[in-house]
Amino acid sequence: MRREYIDSMKGKGFGAFISACEDLKNCKYVLVESKITALLKTVADNKQLYAIFGTVLNGFDYKGVFNECVVGNGFKLPTEPKTAIALVFRILIDIDSRKMPLPNFLEAYFYSESVNESYARFALELLAPFLSYCRMYFVKTEATAPSVMEQNGMAQAYDDVNNKFREELRVDALACLSELIDMGDKTMSGVEGAEYAACLNGLIRSIKKNNFDDMISAFLGVKYAVAYFFKSNADARELIKKLEYDIRHLTD
């Protein structure tokens, strides 16, 4: 059990995560969003690593720590490694989910004359310390590889965090669909409105039932319907982007 844990951390888990951190820290601005997604995927794909991040995030006051780090027009990372890891990881999650768009975050706290310079500051002041702290934290974790009881606890932490994340995705997806239905009610009527509502309600039912196969096919129908009826509506396009993120992660 101990050997399997360490091998997992060195191989597909820890090694892939560190490589993804390096890629993100050194990449060009135009590639940032795809690199963040790739980094988060290395965590999602490794149960032990995901459980460790779940433990780091457990009880973490994200909003409180974030606000403490805002200093004037800048952003100062906490010096306590575990807190810094939790904060940067949550920031990356919010950027990936578009809850906090990267351009807005950079403009607010890492402003420079060019977006590339802003990102260079972000990489130097947040990503570089994050990578260093992760190296130290996970080396320490490896040196004190967990017992069977600890691993069981980490597995439970993985399940708890995963279930919470999935519930947040479901709530967000249903909220997006509710807004899309309201948009339809305001602009459509008769057979056209009924068909549009039936399409969206089909996806709502599949989400509530956790029917992943139906969820995928229903989402494709919704995406087509929204593109057909609201192709020039920026709000509708943004809702579909958020909905696609939710469905993609719900059906992983």
Side-chain angles (χ1 to χ4, degrees):
M1 185 75 73
R2 174 189 172 99
R3 184 72 261 158
E4 290 174 358
Y5 176 82
I6 294 177
D7 287 347
S8 175
M9 292 298 295
K10 285 183 175 179
K12 295 180 180 178
F14 182 62
F17 173 78
I18 292 299
S19 294
C21 284
E22 292 280 7
D23 287 346
L24 175 60
K25 180 170 66 74
N26 298 322
C27 76
K28 300 294 185 183
Y29 173 77
V30 293
L31 300 174
V32 172
E33 291 187 353
S34 64
K35 295 295 184 181
I36 290 176
T37 299
L39 186 154
L40 295 177
K41 189 174 187 301
T42 66
V43 177
D45 286 348
N46 183 273
K47 188 169 185 177
Q48 288 88 356
L49 194 55
Y50 192 64
I52 290 173
F53 271 99
T55 302
V56 169
L57 292 170
N58 185 36
F60 176 62
D61 181 9
Y62 176 44
K63 290 184 179 179
V65 174
F66 188 102
N67 290 336
E68 289 175 0
C69 292
V70 176
V71 182
N73 294 325
F75 197 87
K76 186 176 181 180
L77 197 64
T79 56
E80 200 283 310
K82 186 177 177 181
T83 304
I85 290 171
L87 177 63
V88 176
F89 193 70
R90 276 300 309 270
I91 288 172
L92 294 177
I93 290 174
D94 278 1
I95 292 172
D96 185 57
S97 66
R98 296 185 176 87
K99 289 182 180 178
M100 183 168 63
L102 179 61
N104 296 1
F105 182 66
L106 294 179
E107 183 176 358
Y109 305 114
F110 298 93
Y111 180 77
S112 294
E113 292 186 0
S114 74
V115 70
N116 288 317
E117 290 177 0
S118 294
Y119 181 69
R121 285 188 57 200
F122 170 77
L124 178 64
E125 297 176 30
L126 259 66
L127 296 180
F130 173 70
L131 176 56
S132 297
Y133 287 145
C134 283
R135 288 183 189 276
M136 291 188 295
Y137 190 81
F138 291 121
V139 164
K140 180 180 177 182
T141 299
E142 180 182 320
T144 57
S147 65
V148 172
M149 288 186 65
E150 288 171 327
Q151 288 200 38
N152 288 338
M154 290 175 67
Q156 184 61 52
Y158 171 87
D159 291 337
D160 291 345
V161 172
N162 189 47
N163 289 337
K164 182 180 179 181
F165 178 56
R166 295 180 73 81
E167 182 57 30
E168 290 175 350
L169 291 172
R170 277 191 286 270
V171 170
D172 188 65
L174 292 172
C176 289
L177 286 164
S178 177
E179 290 189 51
L180 288 168
I181 287 174
D182 288 343
M183 291 175 64
D185 290 342
K186 293 175 182 177
T187 58
M188 287 180 268
S189 61
V191 175
E192 186 179 75
E195 290 179 348
Y196 175 79
C199 179
L200 271 65
N201 283 324
L203 179 53
I204 289 173
R205 286 193 297 272
S206 67
I207 291 172
K208 290 182 175 180
K209 292 180 180 179
N210 287 324
N211 189 325
F212 301 133
D213 291 337
D214 286 352
M215 205 182 296
I216 294 172
S217 57
F219 169 72
L220 293 175
V222 168
K223 187 175 182 180
Y224 173 80
V226 172
Y228 179 80
F229 290 112
F230 298 104
K231 57 186 175 181
S232 61
N233 189 303
D235 290 337
R237 289 199 301 271
E238 188 60 32
L239 285 169
I240 283 294
K241 281 184 181 179
K242 291 176 64 179
L243 186 59
E244 186 165 18
Y245 174 88
D246 295 333
I247 299 301
R248 176 160 54 89
H249 286 79
L250 277 171
T251 55
D252 277 348

